[in-house]
């Protein structure tokens, strides 16, 4: 390491590692490196990015470029889609396979240039190489690859999980993080310094740029800057509103451009072009967002799939009124006009400092001299303890951050899904008299059933005009969320609305055994999804501008359209709106399209794939019941059921949507049949291989009771009263659960493969018994084997039959192709066998057989007399179920930790009398929520809160606690409501 004499004028040597992912990193590094060079320091840029990006803007002999690829970033299959699997595999090839040799080379090189400081944006191995060379390191970024890749791991499979932890460990060697605005959660860093925007300066005025390029001030100008754009994208003049011109950056030479599109030179200085334009069309990245905000130029953006820094940059962009979202279908089809016209209306209002490059350079200089006040040495392992990355959702978890900027976390209620209640007469939090709370609406059919969440949903509807006014939002101190604006123009208030409510469910016992025919015990939870539906003649439906533009492009004739708004979209990084022509659900003969065609339709845009759960209900009703939708339909979704926590948010959404549509169209569907139809939505339209218990619990459940159902296919046995001395809680592990995940699907495949193998084994036994006892076909073993040979549900095989006849014959694992060769189809209509995948068979086959026995025992034990022995027996059955999940490969670190905390609480309380007796992972496993059984009372609630705090202390995640129950959709029925005119609303009186 170079000697530094401590004087402020001594020249320093910086090794600046820049990721090979995109040019946005390079452009911001230019701004920091430029200030370092101006201060007289040597800067060595280590990158795979083009050299001209740096040399063009830093004409200094003190700048050196070393071309090395040390991290690949996110591999994109096209300009809008990240290849999760490919990204992880490419990173493994780049920085994992040859890691030792790579680190040795970098450490020696750092010593050879006598580096004083390593700077990373945001190359993980640079920090470890610096540590090996004895050189301090600092990271400068708005995101880190451990966070980005953690979501890829959930998509691409757990076998890449070690990459995430290795990256976090690399970052743990950094002295501190210089954090840029628009940042993601970066838990690998404990010492953080926030700086202003690092952004390139505008060099020429808007007037001068336009003059140089021959464009008048009266011309509306669009800048098209889409890194990695496909040469096959033909940009046509009709894409632009009349009188507009478009400058195109980075256009491939072979790309066809209309006469109103002008190709910019490769070395064109983009900040000047942005400042000279009326708006910009592109995708969200740090460079684009920072430069459009700095220039106060609106950005019309199209979402990318799995680009996980995007939600946080988008939130900042929208907070400063700088963004207009264009859906992918309109982008690809050239229906740009409504979005560009909207961009002309908004007024970006960013007024923060733009000197982040200078500030960051000063911090780096202090760090290199060893005098930065922010440098606080910590043991890397201690920091890594707090790097809880894997599996956490993109949203901020309550309690995770103590101080955050406004753009990072907007004001939230309990789940951030419904607006906070407004104050009355200036008294914050005052509660209206219950009978007056929904006076904006006249309830024509149905009733509230005393449900406060339904009353709050009606209050939300009443505020839509106020909150959804675009002009009012532009003038407001803080802009409204896009979903509120979209919802404000959704309904015609002179017509009736139909509202349905469906709760999530807590899987008490049964879980994944449902698809094998088990008895299941499910409790509908307090959290529920509300859906409001309105049908309108196509000529009267209120449509968004882009929808009207699409219809105009096809002749302008009114035709049925479905428009959907989903509240809470920001929490899970999905587009808040979706619309489609209902004719898209019809083939050329006017018949409903196939489920496979629908599944492909919704896969076109990942950010709008959620609409399959909602609009898919329409297709199922068309295909299964012959319903024809000739009216247009407007749908608003607002759910309190948290997503990804294993409490059936998807089932609640499907059941509430179909219930509201059925009410609007006068369809009489029993709760059971409705649940089965909703399962078809998830199995065939969404493509998730779930059983039916989730939909049944949401549709048929009753408050404070366990729905007992045999899933063969869906036979409700009744509702089991929860004894007054028993209580169930759900504790969220913070690890995202997905019923469509690879592990859930492979376990289901393994169970069906096991069933097929048992059928073949029992068939051979029958043949053998026939040969041995040709005159005695009444042999009981023959009869049992004959039943097993035809058995469609694993759960009908008794445990003793499994152990005595089949367990030794079942393979632990089997390759898909081997199974197909030996047994043919596994006869599961909703999963497919991958010939190249190896499937566990023995554990997934045994689980439902024993689980069905455990569930039946649990139901009987619930009716026993109150005693510690009863609660201990119930808890033991839950624990057995939990560990059986793990044998199938459906466990997780988070859920295992929660179960251990429950067990330790029980053991520590033995002397005083236990209050918590058992716990198990729920639903599809692989994360999600743990169900806890305890004695009802304040002491148990205190223990649950202690577990919550212990889990937070260990992981950094404060678990959400599910407590309470509510009625299912069938018992709720529906509401038909009519909004009163303002003069009809009774005067509110203080109580």
């Amino acid at each position: 390491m170079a000697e530094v004499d401590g004087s402020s004028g001594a020249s320093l040597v910086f090794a600046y590692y820049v990721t090979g992912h995109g040019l946005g990193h390079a452009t911001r590094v230019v701004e920091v490196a430029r200030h370092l060079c101006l201060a007289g320091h040597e800067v060595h840029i280590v990158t795979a990015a083009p050299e001209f990006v740096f040399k063009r803007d830093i004409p200094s002999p003190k700048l050196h470029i070393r071309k090395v690829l040390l991290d690949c970033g996110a591999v994109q299959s096209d300009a809008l889609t990240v290849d999760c699997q490919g990204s992880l595999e490419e990173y493994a090839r780049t920085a994992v396979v040859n890691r030792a040799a790579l680190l040795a080379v970098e450490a020696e090189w750092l010593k050879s240039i006598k580096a004083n400081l390593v700077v990373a944006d945001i190359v993980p191995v640079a920090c470890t190489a610096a540590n090996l060379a004895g050189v301090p390191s600092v990271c400068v970024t708005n995101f880190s690859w451990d966070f980005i890749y953690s979501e890829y791991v959930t998509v691409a499979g757990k076998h890449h999980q070690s990459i995430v932890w290795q990256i976090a460990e690399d970052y743990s060697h950094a002295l501190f993080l210089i954090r840029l605005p628009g940042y993601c959660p970066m838990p690998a860093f404990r010492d953080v310094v926030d700086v202003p925007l690092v952004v390139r300066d505008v060099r020429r005025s808007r007037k001068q740029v336009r003059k140089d390029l021959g464009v008048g001030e009266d011309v509306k100008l669009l800048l098209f800057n889409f890194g990695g754009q496909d040469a096959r994208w033909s940009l046509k003049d009709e894409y632009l509103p009349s009188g507009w011109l478009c400058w195109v950056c980075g256009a491939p030479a072979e790309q066809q451009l209309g006469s109103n599109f002008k190709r910019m030179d490769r070395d064109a200085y983009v900040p000047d072009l942005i400042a000279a334009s009326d708006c910009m069309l592109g995708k969200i990245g740090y460079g684009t967002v920072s430069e459009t905000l700095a220039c106060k130029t609106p950005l019309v953006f199209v979402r990318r799939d799995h680009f996980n820094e995007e939600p946080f940059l988008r939130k900042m962009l929208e907070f400063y009124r700088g963004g207009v979202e264009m859906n992918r279908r309109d982008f690809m089809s050239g229906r740009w006009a409504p979005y560009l016209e909207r961009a002309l209306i908004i007024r970006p209002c960013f007024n923060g400092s733009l000197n982040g490059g200078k500030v960051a350079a000063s911090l780096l200089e202090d760090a290199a001299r060893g005098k930065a006040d922010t440098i606080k040495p910590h043991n890397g392992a201690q920091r890594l303890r707090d790097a809880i990355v894997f599996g956490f959702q993109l949203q901020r978890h309550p309690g995770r951050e103590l101080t955050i900027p406004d753009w990072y976390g907007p004001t939230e209620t309990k789940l951030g899904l419904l607006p906070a209640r407004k104050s009355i007469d200036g008294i914050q939090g005052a509660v209206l008299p219950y009978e007056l709370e929904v006076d904006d609406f006249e309830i024509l059919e149905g009733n509230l059933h005393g449900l406060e969440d339904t009353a709050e949903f009606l209050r939300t509807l009443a505020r839509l005009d106020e909150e959804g006014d675009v002009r009012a939002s532009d003038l407001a101190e803080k802009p409204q969320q896009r979903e509120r604006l979209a919802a404000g123009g959704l309904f015609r208030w002179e017509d009736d609305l139909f509202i349905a409510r469906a709760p999530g469910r807590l899987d008490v016992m049964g879980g994944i055994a449902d698809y094998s025919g088990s008895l299941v015990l499910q409790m509908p939870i307090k959290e529920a999804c509300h859906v409001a539906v309105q049908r309108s003649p196509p000529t009267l439906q209120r449509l968004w501008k882009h929808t009207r533009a699409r219809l105009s492009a096809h002749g302008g004739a009114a035709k049925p359209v479905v428009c959907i708004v989903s509240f809470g979209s920001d929490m899970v990084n999905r587009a808040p709106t979706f619309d489609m022509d209902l004719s898209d659900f019809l083939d050329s003969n006017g018949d409903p399209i196939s489920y496979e065609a629908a599944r492909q339709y919704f896969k076109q845009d990942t950010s709008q794939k959620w609409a399959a759960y909602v609009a898919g209900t329409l297709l199922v009703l068309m295909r299964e019941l012959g319903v024809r939708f000739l009216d247009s339909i407007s749908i608003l979704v607002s759910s309190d059921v948290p997503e990804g926590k294993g409490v059936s948010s998807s089932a609640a959404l499907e059941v509430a949507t179909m219930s509201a549509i059925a009410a609007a169209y006068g369809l009489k569907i029993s709760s059971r049949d409705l649940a089965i139809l909703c399962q078809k939505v998830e199995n065939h339209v969404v493509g998730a291989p779930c059983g039916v218990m989730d939909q049944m619990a949401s549709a048929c459940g009753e408050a404070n009771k366990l729905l007992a159902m045999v899933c063969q296919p869906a036979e409700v046995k009744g509702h089991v009263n929860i004894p007054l001395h028993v209580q169930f809680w759900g504790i969220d592990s913070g690890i995202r659960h997905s019923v469509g995940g690879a592990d859930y699907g492979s376990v289901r495949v393994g169970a069906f493969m096991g069933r097929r193998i048992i059928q073949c084994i029992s068939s051979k036994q029958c043949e053998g018994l026939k040969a041995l006892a040709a005159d005695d076909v009444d042999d009981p073993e023959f009869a049992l084997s004959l039943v097993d040979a035809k058995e469609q549900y694993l759960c009908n095989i008794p445990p003793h039959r499994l152990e005595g006849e089949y367990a030794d014959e079942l393979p632990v694992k089997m390759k898909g192709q081997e199974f197909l060769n030996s047994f043919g189809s596994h006869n599961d209509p909703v999963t497919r066998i991958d010939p190249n995948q190896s499937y566990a068979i023995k554990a997934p086959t045994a689980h439902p057989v024993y689980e069905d026995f455990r569930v039946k025992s649990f139901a009987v034990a619930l009716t026993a007399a109150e005693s510690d022995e009863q609660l201990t027996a119930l808890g033991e059955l839950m624990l057995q179920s939990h560990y059986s999940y793990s044998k199938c490969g459906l466990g997780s670190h988070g859920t295992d930790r929660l179960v251990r905390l429950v067990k330790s609480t029980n053991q520590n309380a033995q002397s005083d009398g236990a209050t918590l007796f058992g716990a198990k992972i729920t639903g599809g496993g692989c994360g999600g929520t743990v169900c806890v059984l305890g004695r009802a009372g304040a002491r148990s609630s205190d223990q649950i809160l202690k577990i919550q705090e212990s889990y937070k202390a260990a992981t950094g995640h404060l678990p959400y606690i599910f407590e309470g129950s509510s009625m299912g959709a069938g018992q709720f029925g529906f509401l038909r409501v009519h909004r009163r005119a303002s003069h009809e609303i009774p005067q509110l009186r203080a109580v």
Side-chain angles (χ1 to χ4, degrees):
M1 179 172 170
E3 294 293 330
V4 179
D5 64 10
S7 67
S8 60
S11 177
L12 300 167
V13 178
F14 293 88
Y16 211 136
Y17 287 78
V18 187
T19 182
H21 174 77
L23 293 181
H25 296 267
T27 57
R28 72 189 185 198
V29 166
V30 162
E31 193 61 20
V32 179
R34 184 172 66 85
H35 284 284
L36 291 173
C37 290
L38 286 173
H41 305 306
E42 298 279 339
V43 179
H44 295 258
I45 301 288
V46 184
T47 185
E51 184 173 330
F52 81 90
V53 176
F54 305 95
K55 291 288 189 179
R56 178 188 60 189
D57 294 336
I58 311 178
S60 170
K62 292 185 175 293
L63 180 72
H64 313 278
I65 309 296
R66 176 170 169 252
K67 297 299 289 291
V68 179
L69 176 64
L70 296 176
D71 97 52
C72 58
V75 176
Q76 296 188 204
S77 52
D78 57 49
L80 294 171
T81 307
V82 171
D83 180 353
C84 298
Q85 180 79 19
S87 297
L88 293 168
E89 291 176 352
E90 184 64 24
Y91 185 84
R93 285 191 291 269
T94 304
V96 177
V97 174
N98 60 340
R99 179 178 171 86
L102 181 152
L103 288 171
V105 169
E106 292 307 305
E108 285 303 312
W109 177 77
L110 290 172
K111 293 175 184 177
S112 71
I113 65 168
K114 298 182 179 180
N116 297 106
L117 185 72
V118 167
V119 189
D121 185 354
I122 178 67
V123 181
V125 296
C127 300
T128 298
N131 184 61
L132 292 173
V135 180
S137 62
V138 174
C139 293
V140 184
T141 185
N142 65 302
F143 74 83
S144 55
W145 289 117
D146 51 351
F147 175 75
I148 301 298
Y149 285 163
S150 67
E151 184 75 5
Y152 297 177
V153 169
T154 66
V155 173
K158 286 185 177 180
H159 53 288
H160 289 297
Q161 183 177 349
S162 61
I163 288 177
V164 174
W165 292 111
Q166 185 181 83
I167 291 173
E169 185 174 11
D170 285 337
Y171 289 145
S172 74
H173 293 297
L175 288 175
F176 60 94
L177 164 69
I178 296 177
R179 188 166 63 179
L180 307 181
Y183 57 79
C184 304
M186 289 183 278
F189 302 97
R190 297 201 46 198
D191 299 318
V192 176
V193 181
D194 287 299
V195 299
L197 280 179
V198 175
V199 60
R200 294 179 292 178
D201 295 332
V202 173
R203 298 172 180 171
R204 295 180 294 164
S205 69
R206 169 188 171 99
K207 183 177 180 180
Q208 185 63 49
V209 173
R210 284 183 171 237
K211 181 181 177 180
D212 292 346
L213 293 174
V215 178
E217 283 293 320
D218 59 333
V219 175
K220 297 302 179 188
L221 189 59
L222 170 68
L223 178 64
F224 186 91
N225 191 5
F226 234 103
Q229 60 184 288
D230 195 321
R232 293 171 295 180
W233 291 356
S234 178
L235 303 181
K236 303 175 182 178
D237 286 339
E238 56 263 34
Y239 291 4
L240 301 173
S242 177
W244 281 62
L245 294 179
C246 180
W247 291 338
V248 183
C249 294
E254 63 272 27
Q255 186 175 13
Q256 294 182 359
L257 303 181
S259 60
N260 292 327
F261 291 81
K262 178 177 175 59
R263 196 185 311 268
M264 293 290 99
D265 293 337
R266 179 190 181 202
D267 60 351
Y269 189 61
V270 174
D272 286 355
L273 300 181
I274 293 175
S277 302
D278 292 289
C279 62
M280 176 175 167
L281 175 57
K283 53 192 178 183
I284 286 180
Y286 178 85
T288 300
V289 169
S290 63
E291 290 176 351
T292 53
L293 285 177
C295 297
K296 297 187 177 180
T297 300
L299 172 63
V300 180
F301 63 89
V302 182
R303 295 191 189 216
R304 282 185 271 186
D305 299 339
H306 304 299
F307 194 69
N308 299 333
E309 68 169 316
E310 181 180 286
F312 305 94
L313 290 168
R314 185 179 70 245
K315 198 173 289 186
M316 182 174 71
L317 183 70
E318 293 179 350
F319 180 83
Y320 292 115
R321 294 187 177 91
V324 174
E325 180 174 348
M326 180 187 294
N327 73 52
R328 189 177 300 183
R329 285 180 298 157
D330 286 343
F331 170 71
M332 299 303 294
S333 58
R335 293 189 287 264
W336 297 359
Y339 305 97
L340 303 185
E341 291 165 357
R342 169 66 183 146
L344 292 182
I345 297 173
I346 65 173
R347 294 291 179 265
C349 59
F350 182 80
N351 57 3
S353 176
L354 303 177
N355 66 339
K358 183 177 181 180
V359 174
S362 178
L363 287 167
L364 294 174
E365 185 176 6
D366 286 346
R369 297 189 187 282
K371 65 178 186 179
D373 294 337
T374 52
I375 298 177
K376 302 174 184 177
H378 287 288
N379 178 274
Q382 289 179 327
R383 297 194 212 177
L384 185 58
R385 182 185 60 190
D386 289 343
I388 307 303
V389 180
F390 172 65
F392 275 33
Q393 298 99 308
L394 290 175
Q395 71 261 34
R396 178 179 60 83
H397 293 284
R400 184 84 178 275
E401 296 275 353
L402 296 178
T403 55
I404 55 174
D406 288 336
W407 53 260
Y408 188 78
T411 300
E412 300 171 355
T413 55
K414 178 178 64 176
L415 291 175
L417 303 182
L418 290 172
R421 188 178 304 179
K422 293 188 176 180
S423 60
I424 305 299
D425 295 331
I427 303 174
Q428 182 65 37
V431 180
L432 289 171
Y434 184 79
E435 64 272 15
L436 296 180
E437 284 190 346
V438 293
D439 276 343
D440 289 285
F441 287 94
E442 180 183 3
I443 298 177
L444 304 175
E445 290 185 65
N447 66 78
L448 292 176
H449 297 283
L451 293 166
E452 173 58 23
D453 62 343
T454 304
E456 176 61 29
F457 180 66
L458 290 175
R459 289 193 291 269
T460 300
L461 291 176
R463 290 194 292 267
L464 284 184
D465 274 353
E466 173 190 342
E467 295 189 343
D469 184 87
V470 172
R471 289 288 184 180
S473 177
D474 288 337
L475 297 174
E477 182 181 349
K478 291 184 179 181
Q480 295 294 333
Q481 292 178 313
R482 289 187 57 247
E483 60 196 36
R484 305 285 168 182
L485 299 178
L490 190 62
F491 296 123
R492 300 172 66 249
W493 295 116
E494 59 268 31
D495 291 343
D496 295 348
L497 292 177
F498 293 84
I499 296 169
R501 176 191 185 276
R505 64 96 187 95
L506 183 63
D507 167 34
V508 175
M509 287 292 286
I512 58 167
D514 63 340
Y515 54 67
S516 294
S518 177
L519 174 70
V520 297
L521 297 174
Q522 307 296 305
M523 184 181 80
I525 58 177
K526 180 178 59 179
E527 291 77 7
C529 175
H530 287 85
V531 172
V533 168
Q534 185 178 73
R535 53 186 291 193
S536 305
T539 54
L540 298 180
Q541 186 185 25
R542 297 179 71 179
L543 297 173
W544 299 310
K545 286 184 179 179
H546 70 268
T547 312
R548 290 200 299 269
R550 182 178 73 241
L551 295 178
S552 298
H554 291 84
K559 59 180 180 178
V561 173
V562 58
C563 296
I564 308 169
V565 176
S566 173
F567 282 173
S569 56
D570 263 353
M571 300 292 288
V572 286
N573 190 29
R574 61 165 177 255
T577 65
F578 175 84
D579 62 281
M580 64 177 289
D581 302 337
L582 280 168
S583 59
D584 290 348
F585 275 157
L586 300 176
D587 61 22
S588 57
N589 297 320
D591 297 321
I593 62 175
S594 68
Y595 287 134
E596 174 61 27
R599 195 155 57 247
Q600 295 305 316
Y601 179 91
F602 288 109
K603 281 183 177 179
Q604 296 176 70
D605 185 349
T606 298
S607 71
Q608 292 191 320
K609 187 179 177 182
W610 61 267
Y613 294 96
V614 183
T617 61
L618 299 172
L619 180 62
V620 168
L621 289 171
M622 293 165 68
R623 287 185 59 87
E624 306 300 328
L625 299 186
V627 179
R628 290 294 179 264
F629 296 101
L630 303 179
D631 288 336
S632 289
I633 305 172
S634 300
I635 302 174
L636 175 64
V637 175
S638 180
S639 182
D640 273 332
V641 186
E643 298 181 32
K645 301 190 185 302
V647 289
S648 296
S649 58
S650 60
L653 173 58
E654 294 153 357
V655 170
T657 301
M658 190 173 286
S659 297
I661 291 171
Y665 282 85
L667 304 176
K668 304 299 182 183
I669 308 174
S670 70
S671 297
R672 176 186 180 277
D673 290 345
L674 186 138
I676 293 174
L677 291 171
C678 288
Q679 185 199 16
K680 291 182 182 294
V681 175
E682 190 141 359
N683 286 171
H684 303 307
V685 182
V686 177
C690 70
V692 75
M693 75 174 189
D694 299 349
Q695 291 80 7
M696 288 292 291
S698 186
C700 305
E702 295 183 8
N704 300 309
K705 296 181 180 180
L706 300 180
L707 176 72
M709 180 185 69
V710 174
C711 304
Q712 300 187 16
E715 180 184 351
V716 174
K717 291 295 186 180
H719 294 85
V720 179
N721 289 317
I722 299 174
L724 295 178
H725 67 283
V726 173
Q727 187 169 350
F728 297 103
W729 294 265
I731 306 179
D732 158 44
S733 68
I735 297 177
R736 190 169 179 83
H737 151 87
S738 172
V739 76
D743 293 290
Y744 174 90
S746 62
V747 170
R748 173 168 176 150
V749 169
F752 276 83
M753 291 166 76
R755 184 195 67 177
R756 176 66 181 142
I757 293 172
I758 287 175
Q759 289 173 336
C760 291
I761 293 172
S762 54
S763 293
K764 290 181 180 178
Q765 288 176 344
C766 287
E767 293 173 3
L769 289 169
K770 275 185 179 180
L772 292 173
D775 298 329
D776 186 15
V777 291
D778 293 328
D779 186 319
E781 285 299 319
F782 176 82
L784 290 172
S785 295
L786 190 61
V787 169
D788 292 347
K790 299 177 181 178
E791 185 54 66
Q792 297 302 304
Y793 296 101
L794 273 175
C795 290
N796 289 341
I797 298 174
H800 77 271
R801 289 285 298 171
L802 176 69
E803 287 297 330
E805 303 296 333
Y806 310 119
D808 292 340
E809 301 293 327
L810 288 171
V812 175
K813 288 186 175 182
M814 181 177 284
K815 195 105 179 250
Q817 188 62 62
E818 182 184 352
F819 176 87
L820 293 170
N821 293 339
S822 300
F823 301 98
S825 172
H826 67 327
N827 297 319
D828 179 10
V830 298
T831 61
R832 298 290 181 269
I833 296 175
D834 180 351
N836 298 316
Q837 182 174 340
S838 182
Y839 293 94
I841 294 180
K842 193 164 189 173
T845 303
H847 174 81
V849 173
Y850 288 105
E851 185 72 0
D852 183 61
F853 182 80
R854 284 189 288 263
V855 179
K856 291 173 180 175
S857 302
F858 193 93
V860 172
L862 273 177
T863 64
E866 176 183 351
S867 66
D868 283 353
E869 288 74 15
Q870 178 210 25
L871 294 172
T872 299
L874 292 169
E876 173 63 25
L877 291 168
M878 294 181 75
L879 291 169
Q880 289 180 20
S881 176
H882 176 79
Y883 291 112
S884 184
Y885 262 85
S886 296
K887 285 184 178 180
C888 293
L890 294 176
S892 76
H893 297 304
T895 50
D896 285 346
R897 181 183 292 275
L898 284 170
V899 171
R900 288 197 301 270
L901 286 171
V902 171
K903 288 170 62 180
S904 65
T905 299
N906 187 322
Q907 292 164 358
N908 294 335
Q910 286 297 337
S911 58
D912 301 325
T915 60
L916 302 180
F917 291 86
K920 63 176 282 288
I921 196 171
T922 62
C926 292
T929 293
V930 164
C931 177
V932 180
L933 165 77
R935 190 187 301 278
R939 187 175 173 193
S940 292
S941 295
D942 288 343
Q943 292 296 326
I944 293 291
L945 293 176
K946 288 180 181 178
I947 290 172
Q948 182 189 46
E949 289 301 321
S950 296
Y951 191 80
K952 179 186 176 183
T955 68
H957 169 64
L958 181 67
Y960 184 93
I961 295 176
F962 297 93
E963 184 173 11
S965 180
S966 66
M967 65 179 62
Q971 195 173 13
F972 178 86
F974 67 89
L975 299 178
R976 181 167 68 92
V977 302
H978 186 84
R979 187 170 181 177
R980 293 187 173 104
S982 58
H983 66 274
E984 297 178 307
I985 301 174
Q987 182 67 36
L988 299 181
R989 300 184 303 276
V991 174

